Amino acid sequence: MQLSGDHLTHTGRRLAEYLAPLRSADVVVLGVPRDGVPVAFEVAEALGAPLDVLVVRSLTLPFDPEVTFGAVAEDGIGVVNDRVAQQTALSAEQIAEVEHAQRADLERQAQLYRRVHERVPLFDRVAVIVDDELVSVAPAIAACRLARSRGATRVVVAAPAGSAQAIEALRGYADEVVCPDASPFYFYAKVEETRHQRPHTSDDEVIALLDRSRRTCLDAAVQFTSGLVELQGYLTVPHHARGAVIFAHGSGSSRHSLRNRYVAKVLNEAGFATLLFDLLTPAEEADRANVFDIEMLARRLNDATVWLTGRPEIAGLPLGYFGASTGAGAALRAAADSPVDIKAVVSRGGRPDLAGAKLADVTAATLLIVGGRDEMVLELNSRAREAMSAECAIAVVPGATHLFEEPGTLEQVARLARDWFLEKLALHAAPR
C-alpha cells in the first residue's frame, strides 16, 4: 500500500535490515521521487552511504491512468511495454504525446533537485535503487538503465513491498531485487487503494531529506582549474570530519582508481574527508613524459589544495596527502612547497625519490608503505627516508608486490594509512 510520513520511515528502517550485507560495499542509495525518497533516506542512514535521487516518470494510458505502459528517466532514457501498447490499441501519436508531457515534468523536477544538490558519482559503485513499492516494471527498468549508464557496476532494486510478478520481471535488469513483502495480489490491492489516496511526499520534503543526508556525508563530483586546465574529481566529506586527505594517483591511474577509492572509503569511515582527482587530462596522459613531470604534478596538487581549503566544508581541517607510485613523489614535493600546512603524507608503493632535493624540505610526518616483494621500490624508499629530516617511517606489507594485488594486502595498506592519519591529523583537528 502507499505509505507516508512515519510509515515510510518505519518501512525504510525495516528494509535497511535486509540490505545490511551491502554496508561494506561502495554503495550509493538512489531514491525514486517522490515517495521512494523517505524510504531511501533511512536505508542510506543505516548503510552509511550517500543519498541521491533518480528521477523517473511513469507513462500511463490517457484513458486509464491506473495502467502503466512505460516510463521515462533522466538522460533521455525511455521504456515502452509494447505488449500493453498493442493490447490497448495505443497509437504512436498517443505514446509520443504522453511521453512528451511526462518528460517535460521530469526535466522540471530534475532541475529543481539539481539546483540544490549535485549528482553523486555512480562510476564503479553499487547503485541501490529504492522505491516505496514495486508495482509497475517499466519505471524500475528505466531506473536500472539510468544507473548502469552512469557507470554503476552492480544494481540492486529494493522496496518494502510489491508485486511478485513485477519482482520476477526485474530479474533480468537488476543484479538483485530485495522486497521483504512480495505478494501476487499486491497490484490489485494497489488499484483498490487509489480510490482513497493518501498524501504524497512533496518536492520540498525530498529536498529537505537530501539536505539532511548531505549534512551527514557530502559525496559529489567536482571540478576546478589549475592554470589553464580544468581537472575533474570526487569529493567526500563525512559528518564531523576530523581532517582531509588529497589523493595523488600514479601513472596509468585516475580518480577512478579502485585501489585509491577503497583506501578513501576506509578513511571516510574513520572520519576523514577525501578528494580524488585527475592530475592529468586524458589528452595529457597520452604523452608519457607528463606522468614523470613531478614539478607540474606537484603544482597541480598545490592548486587542488588551495581550492579544497576554500570550501566551507573543509575550512580549518588539518590536511594530508596520499600518494601512489609517481603520485607519491608529487605529493612529497607539493608538501615541501605547499602554501597550506600539510601535516601528514602516506605513500603506497610510491616513488618518493622522485621528489629529489625537495625531500629535505618536507615537514609533514611521512609513512612509506611498500610491498615486501617490491625489492627495487623498497630500496628507493629506504634512500628517500635517509634524505628526509622530518619524521618518516617505512611499513613493509609481507608478500605484497608493487600493486598490492595479493589477498588482504590492500586492506593492510588502508589500515596503515588510516592509523597514520588518525595519529598525525586528528591531533590538529579543532572542534567543529
Side-chain angles (χ1 to χ4, degrees), residues 110-362:
Q111 290 176 13
L112 177 65
Y113 299 151
R114 298 306 173 200
R115 277 202 303 267
V116 183
H117 296 289
E118 301 164 311
R119 287 181 182 176
V120 175
L122 298 185
F123 188 86
D124 273 344
R125 307 175 89 171
V126 179
V128 179
I129 300 169
V130 178
D131 209 342
D132 64 318
E133 59 186 3
L134 287 175
V135 181
S136 302
V137 180
I141 293 175
C144 289
R145 289 181 176 174
L146 179 57
R148 293 197 192 279
S149 72
R150 293 181 178 175
T153 53
R154 185 182 175 203
V155 175
V156 178
V157 175
S163 159
Q165 295 91 330
I167 293 166
E168 186 60 33
L170 275 175
R171 301 291 182 190
Y173 300 93
D175 298 291
E176 183 180 358
V177 181
V178 177
C179 186
D181 185 10
S183 167
F185 306 107
Y186 189 85
F187 174 79
Y188 302 103
K190 170 66 179 172
V191 171
E192 177 65 25
E193 191 204 350
T194 55
R195 300 171 187 170
H196 310 285
Q197 287 289 346
R198 302 189 185 194
H200 289 281
T201 305
S202 68
D203 284 329
D204 287 343
E205 289 171 320
V206 169
I207 293 172
L209 288 170
L210 290 173
D211 286 341
R212 286 176 60 190
S213 178
R214 297 299 171 93
R215 284 198 294 270
T216 301
C217 181
L218 168 69
D219 193 340
V222 295
Q223 58 186 26
F224 53 92
T225 58
S226 176
L228 300 177
V229 177
E230 187 174 85
L231 302 174
Q232 308 292 325
Y234 292 146
L235 174 63
T236 302
V237 185
H239 189 42
H240 294 317
R242 64 179 80 200
V245 178
I246 304 176
F247 282 65
H249 60 75
S251 59
S253 186
S254 69
R255 70 187 187 278
H256 302 310
S257 165
L258 294 180
R259 294 180 183 85
N260 281 351
R261 288 177 68 173
Y262 173 78
V263 175
K265 181 175 176 62
V266 172
L267 295 181
N268 297 151
E269 292 172 349
F272 292 105
T274 56
L275 172 65
L276 290 82
F277 76 102
D278 293 341
L279 284 165
L280 299 172
T281 67
E284 290 172 333
E285 287 177 351
D287 185 350
R288 187 68 177 170
N290 288 327
V291 174
F292 292 92
D293 190 343
I294 302 302
E295 183 177 355
M296 179 187 69
L297 300 180
R299 186 168 60 250
R300 291 187 175 179
L301 189 52
N302 281 333
D303 289 343
T305 304
V306 172
W307 172 84
L308 183 64
T309 55
R311 292 192 59 114
E313 311 95 328
I314 303 298
L317 290 179
L319 298 180
Y321 289 152
F322 182 96
S325 189
T326 54
L332 286 164
R333 180 160 186 150
D337 294 331
S338 177
V340 179
D341 187 16
I342 303 300
K343 301 294 185 183
V345 175
V346 172
S347 163
R348 169 182 66 81
R351 290 289 307 278
D353 56 296
L354 294 177
K358 286 292 183 180
L359 286 172
D361 298 330
V362 175

